[in-house]
Amino acid sequence: MSLDSAVSFDLSGKLAVVTGARRGIGLATATALAHAGADIIGVSAHIESGESAVGHAVRAAGRGFTSLRCDFADRQAVTRLAGNLTSLERPVDILVNDAGTIARAPAAEHSDADWDHVLRVDPTSRFQLTREIGRAMLARGHGKVIFTASLLSFQRGINVPGYTAAKSGIAGLTRALADEWAGRGVNVNAIVPGHVAADNTQALRKDPVRNAAVLERIPAGRWGAPEDFGGVAVFLAAPASDYVHGALIPVDGGWLGR
């Protein structure tokens, strides 16, 4: 298959599960995958049971949409979600692990409760879900897994020790799973967002000193937008990336290169 052919990026007939799909990068990713042809199962702790922004966007692209709720801090809830997804008549072709959370406090004041919550939601629930869906992908001999990592997978984080540990873990998990699964037809990769104008960065953007420092460091000269991640997600979900395994792809306006 020629990589310059549109078919290399065609997701028609594919089923994608996107966690954290209610807003931000998850919403933008689900929308992009739908425009590439995939039907979407959007999962979030608080996704609307009726019409949602992500459901509207996916259906507007002409694709099917199902919403599921899951508290990713609850291991039993994640187990139930995995069971529901692996028992579908239609197999999951693409798993996008975007659900996450953050707790901001200096390390000396960072509580055990905050630490445990962040670690349960991010690396633990993602491993649980990926293990179960990945097992079915391995049995079929194909599948795509996409994690959302962070600049803090590589760099220090100020006042976010739990989040930094979680995102460092996601980088390692991406590589570990890719090492085991690449030869069995399952691609595991990660997108590394830079500083994105989203809910979890609102405090930084409202701080004039921190906001100016961030913008000064970004060669592109702006905060990222959730829509900046759709193209990379489609690439990693599509046949075009069949020989890409264990990659952590920065979408950061040039931050890591400076």
Side-chain angles (χ1 to χ4, degrees):
M1 182 181 294
S2 173
L3 288 183
D4 62 358
S5 172
V7 73
S8 296
F9 296 89
D10 183 13
L11 300 179
S12 297
K14 302 296 185 181
L15 178 62
V17 172
V18 181
T19 71
R22 181 172 176 265
R23 60 188 180 184
I25 293 174
L27 167 57
T29 296
T31 303
L33 295 178
H35 278 282
D39 296 314
I40 306 295
I41 298 176
V43 190
S44 174
H46 304 291
I47 198 165
E48 296 82 355
S49 56
E51 186 64 14
S52 61
V54 62
H56 176 76
V58 170
R59 293 189 182 102
R63 307 313 309 167
F65 178 77
T66 302
S67 65
L68 294 175
R69 286 189 179 183
C70 181
D71 178 358
F72 288 95
D74 181 339
R75 182 169 291 201
Q76 291 183 342
V78 178
T79 297
R80 289 193 295 271
L81 172 65
N84 290 337
L85 293 172
T86 54
S87 65
L88 295 172
E89 291 185 9
R90 185 178 179 186
V92 175
D93 301 291
I94 302 155
L95 172 61
V96 179
N97 287 294
D98 184 62
T101 191
I102 193 168
R104 296 185 183 277
E109 302 167 18
H110 201 78
S111 70
D112 289 346
D114 281 346
W115 174 274
D116 290 344
H117 182 71
V118 171
L119 271 291
R120 281 198 304 270
V121 170
D122 215 318
T124 298
S125 75
R126 293 186 188 202
F127 173 68
Q128 263 188 282
L129 190 59
T130 303
R131 178 187 61 203
E132 300 307 312
I133 292 179
R135 185 182 294 123
M137 289 177 172
L138 291 168
R140 296 193 307 273
H142 61 85
K144 302 277 187 168
V145 177
I146 304 167
F147 288 101
T148 303
S150 168
L151 293 178
L152 301 189
S153 299
F154 304 104
Q155 298 182 331
R156 66 194 184 281
I158 300 173
N159 296 334
V160 285
Y163 185 79
T164 304
K167 291 302 187 179
S168 297
I170 291 299
L173 181 59
T174 299
R175 297 184 180 109
L177 294 180
D179 196 38
E180 289 193 36
W181 294 357
R184 300 176 65 183
V186 178
N187 298 72
V188 184
N189 296 289
I191 298 171
V192 182
H195 289 82
V196 182
D199 290 349
N200 68 352
T201 60
Q202 190 173 34
L204 290 181
R205 288 181 286 117
K206 284 186 174 181
D207 181 329
V209 175
R210 294 289 303 280
N211 183 59
V214 168
L215 288 174
E216 184 179 2
R217 168 73 187 264
I218 301 174
R222 66 172 177 87
W223 288 75
E227 293 72 24
D228 290 322
F229 300 88
V232 176
V234 170
F235 166 67
L236 291 177
S241 64
D242 279 353
Y243 199 57
V244 179
H245 296 276
L248 289 98
I249 301 178
V251 183
D252 63 355
W255 174 283
L256 286 174
R258 172 161 285 181

